[in-house]
Amino acid sequence: MDPANLHEAMREIELDVEEGADMIMVKPAMPYLDVIAAARDRFDLPAGGLSGFRRIRDDRGAARNQWIDRERVMMESLLCIRRAGASMILTYYAMEAAKFLA
């Protein structure tokens, strides 16, 4: 599958729906926000994304070097996925995000 071809992604999701899928999960979510949005608009199923925050989480990365504000980048990334239309997000940051939002 060509990752740049939205039509192919929609065909793949349509096949999953025809086979009985009860939700749509896009992974990784960030590079495919357009797929989440299109799937939400086209199919009558909950659409979600799997966030891949390894680069943010990684202690060798930009957060450790204080090049980014780790919490703000984490929350902005989750917001982007939600804004694309995801009704659910699976993330390694679930516990951290919940504490931050509390």
Side-chain angles (χ1 to χ4, degrees), residues 9 13 24 48 63-64 75 87 91 95:
I13 293 171
I24 299 162
R64 187 182 117 219
M75 296 307 292
S87 55
T91 179
M95 297 301 288

Side-chain angles (χ1 to χ4, degrees), residues 20-89:
D22 54 3
M23 65 184 225
I24 299 162
M25 186 60 63
V26 177
K27 111 178 187 190
M30 283 302 268
Y32 299 109
L33 296 175
D34 60 329
V35 174
I36 294 171
R40 181 211 55 219
D41 291 343
R42 182 168 173 185
F43 301 101
D44 189 26
L45 289 174
L50 175 66
S51 67
F53 292 121
R54 193 167 299 252
R55 288 179 300 264
I56 299 170
R57 283 183 53 203
D58 194 340
D59 288 335
R60 297 168 296 191
R64 187 182 117 219
N65 291 311
Q66 298 180 345
W67 297 333
I68 62 170
D69 179 325
R70 185 174 176 273
E71 285 182 350
R72 288 181 71 189
V73 170
M74 171 189 67
M75 296 307 292
E76 178 71 19
S77 299
L78 295 173
L79 177 62
C80 289
I81 297 167
R82 176 66 185 106
R83 201 170 46 229
S87 55
M88 65 194 118
I89 302 171

